[in-house]
Amino acid sequence: AIRSLEKAIAELDRLAGRYNAQSIQASRTLGMAYMDSGQYARANEIFASNVERSKRVYGPQDSETALNLSFQVMTLHRTGDTAGAEETARESVRLAQTQGASLSASEMRGFTRRYATALAINGKPEEALRWFDQLIAQEEAAGQLDTRHAATLMLRAGTLNILGRGEQAAAAGEQAVAAWQTAGKSLGAAGQIGSGHMSRPCSPCSAWRPSPTSSFRPPRLGSPRGSV
């Protein structure tokens, strides 16, 4: 899949020039493919390049640029740049909230989820918890009680654990597991790790950091805009 995508993007660039919308969309899928293979540094390069392309094609303040920034948040986490992940996530949320942004409510919630995660990983769990609480309320009001909602609940449980609120974290973890099962999906690696750590202290990341094979990521091949 990676080789095919790289060839397709190279051909698009040859025909339309480097700065074209089709290559940007295909590169998001390519970046996720590299993430799936555990090549996080390469995935980060792809997403960083996509941000630069987006600024040229759509403009630095456009919602498409915000979308590509939000994708890069994931690889910045995995390459250890937690401060960069927080800064990038914050900017993506800012752009997404500007007037005229062409993003769905579900996409906006995905941006928020990544931002709250970035805050928690970067040592700001109190602020992260406030964002997760708002996000859960929005998901429930919108009836979005699928695996994305379950992921938010599990991330909130991990954040509570970071704060040393073990009993609340355990209860929140059980709620997340129930939501995942109600959605009819397997809990996934991240959820299993998270639920296993809810009853004891953990490092800021170990309770809920997504693994390469977990379901705690946006849709990929079938949803190039990343609707989570």
Side-chain angles (χ1 to χ4, degrees):
I2 288 176
R3 290 182 180 178
S4 297
L5 282 166
E6 288 178 331
K7 288 180 180 179
I9 292 167
E11 181 65 10
L12 285 168
D13 288 351
R14 185 185 70 81
L15 294 172
R18 171 174 169 77
Y19 299 102
N20 68 87
Q22 290 78 17
S23 287
I24 291 171
Q25 185 179 90
S27 291
R28 284 199 292 268
T29 303
L30 176 62
M32 293 306 300
Y34 271 114
M35 282 190 66
D36 282 344
S37 68
Q39 300 180 64
Y40 303 135
R42 179 57 180 150
N44 190 55
E45 291 174 358
I46 296 293
F47 289 140
S49 176
N50 238 18
V51 170
E52 186 264 335
R53 289 192 194 219
S54 292
K55 289 179 178 179
R56 287 284 297 271
V57 173
Y58 301 105
Q61 303 297 314
D62 193 84
S63 57
E64 283 288 333
T65 298
L67 177 66
N68 287 294
L69 282 167
S70 188
F71 267 70
Q72 192 184 11
V73 172
M74 296 180 289
T75 50
L76 288 169
H77 283 321
R78 287 168 170 79
T79 54
D81 187 0
T82 57
E86 180 190 338
E87 180 181 356
T88 300
R90 181 185 299 109
E91 177 64 5
S92 72
V93 169
R94 185 190 71 80
L95 292 178
Q97 292 176 339
T98 58
Q99 187 174 6
S102 58
L103 295 164
S104 69
S106 178
E107 286 171 330
M108 287 288 295
R109 289 191 288 271
F111 282 32
T112 300
R113 190 179 302 108
R114 292 174 198 167
Y115 179 42
T117 300
L119 287 167
I121 289 179
N122 200 35
K124 300 176 181 177
E126 296 90 350
E127 186 177 355
L129 185 61
R130 290 194 294 271
W131 282 93
F132 280 130
D133 286 343
Q134 293 175 23
L135 179 57
I136 288 168
Q138 291 169 6
E139 290 172 340
E140 291 175 347
Q144 184 181 302
L145 305 179
D146 55 12
T147 53
R148 291 167 292 187
H149 180 60
T152 306
L153 290 169
M154 186 59 76
L155 290 165
R156 179 180 181 273
T159 302
L160 286 166
N161 202 27
I162 294 170
L163 290 166
R165 293 155 64 174
E167 291 187 6
Q168 292 180 47
E174 290 299 320
Q175 184 183 9
V177 171
W180 202 272
Q181 293 172 341
T182 299
K185 300 292 183 179
S186 169
L187 182 59
Q192 292 168 4
I193 292 171
S195 61
H197 282 75
M198 288 305 100
S199 61
R200 61 183 185 275
C202 65
S203 70
C205 302
S206 63
W208 46 264
R209 177 182 288 169
S211 73
T213 57
S214 93
S215 300
F216 287 77
R217 295 196 308 273
R220 296 178 292 283
L221 299 178
S223 181
R225 283 183 63 88
S227 60
V228 70

